[in-house]
Amino acid sequence: MRETQVRDAYDRPLRDLRISVTDRCNFRCVYCMPSEANICFMPREQLLSFEEIVRLAQQFAGLGTEKIRLTGGEPLLRKDLVQLVKMLYEIEGIKDIALTTNGVLLKRYAKDLYQAGVKRVNISLDALDDEVFTVMNGVGARSGQVLAGVDAALEAGMTVKVNMVVKKGMNASQILPMARFFKEKGIMLRYIEYMDVGSSNGWNMEDVVTNKEIRDMIHAEMPMEPADPAYFGEVASRYRYVGTDVEVGFISSVSEAFCSSCTRARLSADGQLYTCLFADKGLPLKPLLRSAASDEEIQGTLRAAWHKRDDRYSEERVSYYESGRQKKRIEMSYIGG
Ligand code: SAM
Ligand code: SF4
Ligand code: SF4
């Protein structure tokens, strides 16, 4: 049942729910789950069932959530994902179901996912050049495999955006080739600043190429003009290539934090609720789901968690590092990007 919209300690509404459906992945991206890191995946029996995910999503919808994004790990590795999408699509109040994927399995699933209700997909691709890309993804995947996923999503009717994380010394050489390619293709490319999520990637500020640097590089060759944000809380600042209707986006989580408009909650595959990508602990919802708790009680727990939310890590990052304080970090592949 739909209640009035819940707001957190900084008056931010709860609009989006990111559901991580698995922590496993077929890539080992250097900035997320590097091959050398000793990552322990959760045993399958710890995953929430589809019924449990849907029950939670219904309660989120009751609190004002309108958008769901399926993520991971690699969400397309979760068995029967299409079935989950169909179930989520039925929920009253959910207006949008999107997916974030590395794209290699998309060719197989795009059509069914679209028919089940996924109308938008973000596909991660960090380089066109295979020498660079294979180092970035750590498993020898080729950019052509991801581009086949992009084409399959477009053919299925999905709106496609491409995400590129830039890590200095690794794929910065691909900034312009990627911009040219996706401008030509008419697809929005979004540059994401390399973030200090988790601890396995050994993040260092010196490895970050700021979006200002990237914007300047692109603008020098392909002039851009600012485009209006599509909605409140949009994380990317959008630009349009002059004389075209092709947009390009910049997600500057490190250099220009956007916590004040962050409306996202995250659910891990084993049912922990996180109110920030950088939260050091989650709220375990599985015990509640597997108890005799009513829907109202579950919704009350979610409402209370959001109500007291005061996360704004990206705005506080500099002071964290300056003070030398240590922060426990949950891996991105676990919490869902
Ligand atoms: N496996 C899927 C994929 O890669 O699209 C979905 C999960 S992934 C964790 C979601 C997004 O987080 C991807 O676009 C990825 O590039 C981004 N990401 C992962 N680690 C990151 C980091 N350290 N800094 C910035 N973005 C990161
Ligand atoms: Fe896998 Fe996505 Fe993390 Fe890369 S960014 S390792 S594709 S979860
Ligand atoms: Fe949202 Fe936390 Fe990121 Fe700030 S740091 S934008 S609160 S997820």
Side-chain angles (χ1 to χ4, degrees):
M1 198 209 287
R2 206 158 181 85
E3 295 229 336
T4 47
Q5 184 135 68
V6 61
R7 292 191 172 252
D8 72 6
Y10 293 111
D11 205 31
R12 297 169 294 191
L14 168 53
R15 292 255 171 82
D16 317 70
L17 175 62
R18 300 199 164 198
I19 304 176
S20 170
V21 290
T22 176
D23 61 339
R24 288 164 200 259
C25 192
N26 45 0
F27 275 20
R28 291 289 178 272
C29 300
V30 286
Y31 49 74
C32 177
M33 204 194 283
S35 321
E36 61 280 9
N38 186 17
I39 296 195
C40 280
F41 296 112
M42 57 181 85
R44 279 172 218 281
E45 59 276 11
Q46 279 188 19
L47 299 182
L48 291 186
S49 67
F50 287 176
E51 288 69 25
E52 288 170 328
I53 294 175
V54 170
R55 188 168 176 215
L56 284 176
Q58 280 165 338
Q59 301 318 313
F60 274 101
L63 293 170
T65 302
E66 297 177 339
K67 294 182 181 180
I68 289 180
R69 176 169 294 279
L70 299 172
T71 177
E74 175 45 45
L76 297 181
L77 291 180
R78 178 79 190 245
K79 193 164 171 281
D80 299 327
L81 188 74
V82 172
Q83 184 55 32
L84 175 64
V85 173
K86 283 186 190 154
M87 292 162 76
L88 292 170
Y89 196 66
E90 300 284 301
I91 299 176
E92 195 190 328
I94 298 299
K95 297 183 177 154
D96 182 35
I97 302 177
L99 175 77
T100 303
T101 170
N102 63 33
V104 290
L105 293 171
L106 205 47
K107 200 170 163 197
R108 194 184 306 168
Y109 295 116
K111 214 165 141 216
D112 290 345
L113 283 167
Y114 181 80
Q115 277 165 4
V118 175
K119 306 295 180 219
R120 297 190 304 117
V121 65
N122 291 351
I123 302 176
S124 306
L125 176 64
D126 299 320
L128 290 169
D129 180 308
D130 278 328
E131 259 180 54
V132 181
F133 188 50
T134 51
V135 175
M136 290 300 283
N137 65 57
V139 296
R142 313 239 140 212
S143 60
Q145 293 172 265
V146 180
L147 293 173
V150 170
D151 288 339
L154 290 171
E155 257 166 54
M158 293 178 184
T159 303
V160 176
K161 290 178 191 159
V162 172
N163 288 343
M164 171 181 183
V165 176
V166 182
K167 186 172 175 196
K168 199 175 272 178
M170 300 219 69
N171 65 337
S173 64
Q174 293 292 294
I175 292 171
L176 284 173
M178 287 279 289
R180 290 179 200 123
F181 182 84
F182 287 104
K183 175 176 180 245
E184 191 58 39
K185 223 168 149 56
I187 292 179
M188 184 177 190
L189 171 63
R190 304 186 314 165
Y191 294 89
I192 304 181
E193 284 176 350
Y194 173 37
M195 289 188 286
D196 48 342
V197 217
S199 50
S200 60
N201 61 13
W203 185 87
N204 188 318
M205 185 65 207
E206 279 160 23
D207 294 332
V208 178
V209 182
T210 66
N211 275 334
K212 161 103 180 53
E213 296 172 82
I214 299 176
R215 274 198 304 263
D216 289 349
M217 264 170 88
I218 298 175
H219 190 69
E221 179 180 317
M222 292 167 272
M224 299 174 292
E225 58 196 7
D228 292 334
Y231 53 88
F232 171 79
E234 185 177 26
V235 294
S237 33
R238 301 156 81 107
Y239 288 76
R240 195 180 302 104
Y241 293 112
V242 173
T244 74
D245 55 9
V246 184
E247 290 189 1
V248 53
F250 300 90
I251 303 182
S252 313
S253 0
V254 177
S255 65
E256 297 161 34
F258 40 77
C259 299
S260 58
S261 60
C262 178
T263 56
R264 288 175 292 282
R266 294 178 156 87
L267 182 64
S268 67
D270 60 351
Q272 304 257 358
L273 172 67
Y274 292 91
T275 53
C276 176
L277 195 49
F278 299 91
D280 49 17
K281 64 176 187 327
L283 174 68
L285 296 172
K286 204 163 43 178
L288 196 63
L289 284 167
R290 294 185 186 174
S291 71
S294 65
D295 287 350
E296 287 69 27
E297 283 169 290
I298 293 176
Q299 194 173 93
T301 302
L302 303 178
R303 186 190 305 108
W306 191 263
H307 196 63
K308 71 174 189 350
R309 173 190 194 238
D310 60 358
D311 308 280
R312 44 190 288 274
Y313 174 74
S314 285
E315 290 177 354
E316 296 170 336
R317 178 181 283 109
V318 174
S319 65
Y320 258 104
Y321 282 94
E322 279 174 1
S323 69
R325 270 180 293 169
Q326 292 290 318
K327 190 162 168 49
K328 190 176 150 220
R329 299 172 193 290
I330 313 290
E331 296 300 329
M332 184 85 143
S333 53
Y334 173 79
I335 200 169

